[in-house]
Amino acid sequence: MLNIASFFKSRNLIFRSIFHIFLVIIIAGIIKGDILASPTYDEGIDYKRIYNENKYKKTKKIEVVEFFGLFCPHCRNFSPVINKWAEKLPENVEFKKLHVPFREITHQRLYFTLKKMGLIDKYLYKLFADIQDKRLPLKDFLSITIWVEDNGLSLADFEKEWNSKKVKNDMKEASSLMKLFKVTGVPQIIVDGEFLTSPAMVGSNRRIIGLLDYLIAERSP
């Protein structure tokens, strides 16, 4: 009788040991899977740290700024990706697009004029197509007024905003920040005045979205 009891006790210990090993393997596999599933980002490769002081580091909200240009095909491809991402941002994060003064400064002024009129969301992708596909230069005010009239916009309203102090200040600020952050290409993104990155640095439009979430988390209290 004692031998039978010892036998079952021994079997129970063996079963418990095997079950314990099984759990360890399962848990290790889950942890390993999570590690493999979670992308890693390297400072100096995927993004750079900005060491100079600037206003974005001191704002209550985390500000994500995309520098772009209407002439840039990479900006065109990236724009719907980052705009869709920006639609789901939490309240403590603010996203803005700033047009650089590369090539044609009139493109920058056109962008901020339409933005001031509340029309940039409607016409942004059309501008990309008109400039890049139709090869409309839009290099001077005359060609821009023709574009404005062809698209059924009020020329009087457009000209008023084109010459407004707000638009000129927006252009000045965008150009100043571009120099401050040493933006030399587009699209490039600044996260809360602390990090600089771009799809080219990360390797893809899809991967940079994960990086932006990662950098925002880094700046979150």
Side-chain angles (χ1 to χ4, degrees):
M1 190 75 176
L2 289 174
N3 291 336
I4 294 175
S6 298
F7 172 77
F8 280 108
K9 183 178 180 180
S10 176
R11 289 288 298 273
N12 187 42
L13 288 172
I14 293 171
F15 174 78
R16 289 170 61 185
S17 298
I18 293 173
F19 184 69
H20 178 73
I21 294 171
F22 177 76
L23 285 178
V24 169
I25 292 172
I26 292 296
I27 293 171
I30 292 172
I31 293 173
K32 183 179 180 181
D34 288 341
I35 292 173
L36 292 174
S38 300
T40 57
Y41 305 102
D42 297 314
E43 183 175 341
I45 298 176
D46 298 310
Y47 64 94
K48 296 179 181 179
R49 190 176 296 273
I50 298 169
Y51 291 100
N52 58 5
E53 289 300 316
N54 59 80
K55 68 176 185 178
Y56 290 119
K57 289 186 179 183
K58 301 174 183 179
T59 55
K60 291 183 179 179
K61 287 192 174 185
I62 296 172
E63 305 215 33
V64 179
V65 182
E66 178 200 4
F67 288 90
F68 85 107
L70 291 170
F71 58 85
C72 168
H74 300 294
C75 298
R76 180 182 181 180
N77 293 334
F78 183 52
S79 195
V81 177
I82 195 168
N83 288 350
K84 183 177 180 180
W85 169 80
E87 291 174 358
K88 302 176 183 179
L89 290 176
E91 292 183 359
N92 68 318
V93 181
E94 185 174 331
F95 172 71
K96 64 173 65 174
K97 296 170 79 79
L98 297 180
H99 197 295
V100 296
F102 298 168
R103 296 192 182 182
E104 303 300 335
I105 197 170
T106 51
H107 290 173
Q108 185 190 51
R109 192 168 182 175
L110 173 58
Y111 170 79
F112 283 116
T113 299
L114 291 175
K115 184 178 180 181
K116 179 67 167 56
M117 296 175 71
L119 297 173
I120 194 59
D121 289 341
K122 182 178 180 180
Y123 288 100
L124 179 61
Y125 297 114
K126 190 175 192 310
L127 279 170
F128 277 131
D130 287 348
I131 291 171
Q132 297 181 28
D133 298 338
K134 295 183 179 180
R135 304 296 182 183
L136 296 181
L138 301 181
K139 292 182 177 181
D140 53 67
F141 186 66
L142 178 59
S143 64
I144 288 174
T145 56
I146 293 173
W147 183 91
V148 168
E149 290 181 322
D150 286 347
N151 283 276
L153 304 181
S154 167
L155 184 56
D157 291 344
F158 180 86
E159 189 169 357
K160 176 184 175 182
E161 301 303 345
W162 176 270
N163 293 311
S164 69
K165 186 176 180 180
K166 168 66 174 169
V167 167
K168 293 176 182 178
N169 287 341
D170 286 346
M171 293 172 64
K172 184 178 179 180
E173 180 187 28
S175 300
S176 176
L177 289 173
M178 183 199 74
K179 293 178 181 178
L180 174 67
F181 295 129
K182 297 180 173 60
V183 172
T184 57
V186 286
Q188 286 191 357
I189 303 167
I190 306 298
V191 178
D192 210 32
E194 184 72 24
F195 305 108
L196 181 150
T197 187
S198 70
M201 292 173 68
V202 176
S204 71
N205 290 342
R206 181 178 180 181
R207 191 166 185 264
I208 197 174
I209 295 303
L211 173 60
L212 292 178
D213 291 335
Y214 170 81
L215 295 177
I216 287 172
E218 287 290 302
R219 292 292 292 172
S220 298

